[in-house]
Amino acid sequence: SQQGEEDPQALSIQEGENATMNCSYKTSINNLQWYRQNSGRGLVHLILIRSNEREKHSGRLRVTLDTSKKSSSLLITASRAADTASYFCATDASGGSYIPTFGRGTSLIVHP
Amino acid sequence: DAGITQSPRYKITETGRQVTLMCHQTWSHSYMFWYRQDLGHGLRLIYYSAAADITDKGEVPDGYVVSRSKTENFPLTLESATRSQTSVYFCASSESGSVSPLHFGNGTRLTVT
């Protein structure tokens, strides 16, 4: 079964607004990653956050991790039409497993 | 060019035929993965490999076979294709499993008629 699940399934916003997506997972993890997928293409890595980290930034992206709640969030600030894509979280399972499994993704549409 | 390439990009085959999807990476990454992507299911792990000659099952391995005789190649074979295997297949590689980023190919869209 899939370890992580993204929420919401779909998100529609206007350019300039912030977009927040969440990922919840079932069992303890070593690492959590976020990916973006443009239509018809492979996934592209955005950010990796380790279980002992609480927050990471990359440009307009901010990822938080709350291991007590088994959840992560991806915030895209000042969104652009080019941010339109599907976003996925990938989690492993602690205890020696370093194999990432993906959720179903959040489909983000940013209207110009 | 460095990267990960999948071939073919598109494939149509008939039920019962054997099909092999190819994946080649130029980074010498230890880990390689095969995922399938279906509407409503996201990406599901089929098989993975931690090194040459080491492979292991993922979430949905039934009906698939993999091999990894060389570090750079990780072919996926559907021994007797079924309609339920119609999907988009993605290959990925990483240095150290989930400890490092995965690099994805552009996928193979497979249709089984």
Side-chain angles (χ1 to χ4, degrees):
Chain A
S1 64
Q2 287 162 303
Q3 159 79 307
E5 289 297 337
E6 296 86 349
D7 172 66
Q9 287 188 354
L11 184 58
S12 181
I13 60 174
Q14 295 294 128
E15 222 171 19
E17 294 179 341
N18 295 341
T20 300
M21 288 156 266
N22 302 295
C23 172
S24 58
Y25 54 91
K26 299 170 187 171
T27 63
S28 297
I29 60 170
N30 300 301
N31 305 284
L32 185 145
Q33 303 184 43
W34 284 93
Y35 289 80
R36 183 188 74 232
Q37 184 183 34
N38 291 96
S39 181
R41 305 299 300 271
L43 280 71
V44 174
H45 180 260
L46 297 176
I47 289 183
L48 183 153
I49 187 165
R50 307 194 192 286
S51 60
N52 61 354
E53 298 176 313
R54 292 297 165 258
E55 189 170 311
K56 289 190 87 168
H57 296 257
S58 177
R60 293 183 296 112
L61 306 181
R62 172 177 169 248
V63 167
T64 60
L65 179 64
D66 187 335
T67 53
S68 67
K69 295 181 179 178
K70 293 187 172 60
S71 68
S72 173
S73 67
L74 169 66
L75 169 67
I76 304 173
T77 59
S79 63
R80 306 166 181 168
D83 294 327
T84 293
S86 292
Y87 293 81
F88 294 86
C89 69
T91 55
D92 55 20
S94 66
S97 168
Y98 294 96
I99 306 304
T101 58
F102 288 79
R104 292 180 174 85
T106 291
S107 175
L108 173 66
I109 297 175
V110 181
H111 299 279
Chain B
D1 288 342
I4 182 164
T5 54
Q6 293 184 236
S7 62
R9 190 81 169 89
Y10 302 93
K11 177 74 177 177
I12 300 174
T13 191
E14 294 177 342
T15 300
R17 290 196 179 265
Q18 183 179 84
V19 178
T20 296
L21 310 184
M22 305 302 291
C23 180
H24 175 79
Q25 52 109 351
T26 59
W27 292 295
S28 298
H29 284 165
S30 295
Y31 282 79
M32 295 189 77
F33 307 87
W34 275 106
Y35 295 89
R36 60 177 289 175
Q37 185 173 31
D38 305 286
L39 207 60
H41 290 280
L43 278 85
R44 290 181 290 175
L45 180 64
I46 305 171
Y47 269 97
Y48 65 95
S49 169
D53 297 322
I54 300 175
T55 62
D56 212 340
K57 297 178 180 179
E59 302 168 68
V60 288
D62 292 345
Y64 303 95
V65 175
V66 293
S67 62
R68 190 143 179 234
S69 56
K70 292 184 178 181
T71 299
E72 61 265 30
N73 297 323
F74 192 38
L76 175 74
T77 298
L78 288 67
E79 294 189 299
S80 178
T82 65
R83 289 197 181 88
S84 64
Q85 293 177 310
T86 292
S87 186
V88 181
Y89 291 85
F90 287 100
C91 178
S93 71
S94 77
E95 282 188 24
S96 310
S98 63
V99 180
S100 52
L102 271 64
H103 300 267
F104 279 81
N106 279 325
T108 294
R109 183 175 292 274
L110 176 68
T111 301
V112 183
T113 63

